Amino acid sequence: MFEAESVVNSDCRAWFDPKPEERRRLLFASFEPDGTYIDPTAQISGAEALLHHIDQVVKARPGLWLERTTLSISIMISCVLAG
């Protein structure tokens, strides 16, 4: 079981780290290998597929920065929602 705040922080950092190997380390520290990622533009199954998606987003948006806008974290059955 992951500690929720640490998971959310690692996930956020995985989206903007410029080094692909660091993005991989951060993502795999915060996302289950068979997890599902959902946002308004994508639904992605699996950590490898999400890593590929993040790599594509980083390439398309150089200098991307993702920042938590709230300290609120809601935990549901095997689901983390962060604002």
Side-chain angles (χ1 to χ4, degrees):
M1 179 84 162
F2 295 116
E3 193 271 314
E5 189 162 349
S6 175
V7 168
V8 172
N9 289 339
S10 288
D11 178 70
C12 288
R13 290 178 48 216
W15 280 85
F16 67 81
D17 197 285
K19 300 179 205 132
E21 64 279 358
E22 183 64 4
R23 283 197 301 274
R24 172 179 285 279
R25 186 191 72 73
L26 290 163
L27 181 66
F28 279 78
S30 61
F31 195 82
E32 290 290 330
D34 60 347
T36 300
Y37 170 84
I38 301 171
D39 75 19
T41 66
Q43 182 170 341
I44 300 164
S45 296
E48 286 294 339
L50 179 55
L51 183 62
H52 176 74
H53 176 72
I54 291 171
D55 288 344
Q56 297 304 310
V57 170
V58 168
K59 286 178 187 171
R61 295 175 179 91
L64 173 71
W65 182 262
L66 182 65
E67 184 174 341
R68 282 179 58 188
T69 58
T70 180
L71 296 177
S72 173
I73 299 172
S74 300
I75 301 174
M76 295 182 239
I77 301 171
S78 63
C79 178
V80 176
L81 301 175

